[in-house]
Amino acid sequence: MQQPDAAAIPGMDGDGSHEEPRMSEAEEARAERLDEDDRLKPEFVEAVREALVDEHGDVRDLVEPLHPADIADLFEILPREDRPALARGISDLMSGEVISELNDYVRDDLLESLPPDAIAEIAEQLETDDAVALIEDMGAREQAAVLAEMELEDRAAIESALSFPEESAGRLMQRDLVAVPEHITVGDLIDYMRDNGDLTTEFWEVFVVDPAHRPVGTCQLSWILRCPRAIPISDIMKREQTLLPADMDQEEVALRFQKYALISAAVVDKAGRLIGQVTADDIVHIIQEEANEDTLLLSGAGEGDINEPIRTSYSQRVRWLVANLGTALVASLIIAAFGAAIEKLVALAVLMPVVASIGGNAGTQTMAVSVRALAMNQLTRSNTRRVIWREMRVALLNGVTVAALIGGATAMIFTPMLGVVIASAVVINIITAGMAGVLVPVIFDRLDQDPAVASSVFVTMITDSMGFFAFLGLAVASGLVG
């Protein structure tokens, strides 16, 4: 067998030795601006700020080698007052791709400084779903002004998408797709895709529809390319498919993609007609969005966006702190009821925060698992009892383990009876925490409320109150304090 010429192989000299691959000028420029984790280097960000201040500085030359996503990162890193100047300095680089990558608050700030025709031009560069995300948060007057500047076809597509509920498949979908009747052959389809210059340039599968434009199957491009031209599409298409109603919530859409390992899926209207598609690249953003949202809601931090206005952050966080203050007063009242016992045995005041803290941590663990299970449709009406029983057993094992440790230490430092009391209180509180960590999120879910929003406040109240009550109550009942 003839061996390839070593000199013809990239990265290898004629003597067979390897040489280091050379970076292109663009790659070298990016390497100067990004660190090994693809984050903008502080010195580069500072150089951009200096160029914005210096009238002779050319900020465009600095920014031009960056990927649109990196340009969006640069806007988010810079202080708010520097962003308009950067947008003016790199106006020709402000593509729709850059705008679509921007944080919502940063993007809204920039759009406020742009005229409607400039926003319309950016929107027309984007896929329908990205254009909708750009326009949907504007006021009615601003929306109308931007839509009036757009081409009729793009305007109609966006207005149609805006008619669907927020965070639904109809808002998320792309209208650019390939749909064909089932009676054509593979050869007809290939010729159609080659000759039709108006087709979308990026797609993974072709949707097959009936005369009423209802999807009846899908056909992957790999199947089409590997089949003889004379084969009918109806013979190679897959009839089983996942159809997404246009009003389906985007979180449910993401779950469908995850469950069925989808690359794309058809979106249908109430009559079952094909009106768009959702693709995997859209779902990546949704999964990240929903995961971050649930995490922040559990902590009561609102959206948790470092770019949101201070007043917004304050109003979102303070209400949960006030609610937490109210629930903390319940625990304080329980402590007050045992004030005389605490005065007689100071060790109770030393140890009771331990019982409440351990219960709180146990409740937070179970609550996090439950909220995730509800979000992923793993915890349903069908298995609620089984999940509660499972978490109760986990709580019992955890409670016994922790109780043995804290009970033994307390018995050695104070008295054996106090060790028994605190061990019993810990077991009771951790079991209570396990039950509350499941039941509170489930109850909120049954009431059609987001279980991530307020579960933590109520679970904390239950574990604190039960921890103090169990510990102080057992101390009094055991005769430790008269």
Side-chain angles (χ1 to χ4, degrees), residues 96 99-100 107 111 119-138 143 146-147 150 154-155 157-159 161-162 171-174 282:
I99 296 294
S100 65
R107 183 184 63 203
L111 292 181
I119 300 175
E121 183 178 350
I122 291 171
E124 287 175 342
Q125 301 175 33
L126 301 172
E127 298 286 352
T128 306
D129 56 325
D130 292 327
V132 169
L134 184 70
I135 295 174
E136 64 182 349
D137 292 330
M138 294 180 176
Q143 274 189 10
V146 172
L147 291 171
M150 300 184 69
D154 294 328
R155 175 180 177 178
I158 292 176
E159 287 179 336
L162 290 173
R171 289 282 183 101
L172 188 63
M173 70 182 179
Q174 303 173 17
D282 303 314

Side-chain angles (χ1 to χ4, degrees), residues 347-364:
L348 297 179
V350 175
L351 295 173
M352 64 183 185
V354 176
V355 181
S357 176
I358 291 173
N361 288 335
T364 300

Side-chain angles (χ1 to χ4, degrees), residues 253-333:
V253 173
L255 289 173
R256 295 282 180 92
F257 268 73
Q258 183 179 20
K259 182 176 182 178
Y260 299 115
L262 303 176
I263 296 177
S264 61
V267 180
V268 296
D269 62 13
K270 292 182 179 179
R273 294 186 296 264
L274 176 66
I275 58 174
Q277 68 170 337
V278 176
T279 56
D281 60 317
D282 303 314
I283 296 302
V284 171
H285 295 291
I286 299 304
I287 291 174
Q288 182 181 19
E289 228 175 73
E290 296 291 346
N292 290 342
E293 180 182 297
D294 286 346
T295 301
L296 291 165
L297 288 174
L298 278 172
S299 66
E303 293 185 23
D305 194 321
I306 61 173
N307 291 294
E308 69 182 353
I310 292 177
R311 182 174 297 179
T312 303
S313 296
Y314 162 75
S315 63
Q316 289 180 338
R317 299 183 195 183
V318 73
R319 59 173 177 254
W320 293 113
L321 293 176
V322 172
N324 196 40
L325 175 63
T327 57
L329 290 175
V330 175
S332 299
L333 292 174

Side-chain angles (χ1 to χ4, degrees), residues 83-84 87-88 107-116 118-119:
R83 292 167 186 165
R88 291 191 297 270
R107 183 184 63 203
D108 292 344
D109 278 346
L110 287 178
L111 292 181
E112 286 178 4
S113 64
L114 295 176
I119 300 175

Side-chain angles (χ1 to χ4, degrees), residues 35-67:
D35 62 19
E36 61 275 8
D37 295 320
D38 285 335
R39 294 176 297 197
L40 295 173
K41 294 181 178 179
E43 53 268 26
F44 168 71
V45 176
E46 188 58 35
V48 170
R49 294 195 66 187
E50 292 175 359
L52 292 174
V53 175
D54 186 357
E55 60 182 14
H56 300 294
D58 193 347
V59 70
R60 189 193 181 285
D61 287 347
L62 287 171
V63 177
E64 195 273 336
L66 295 178
H67 185 277

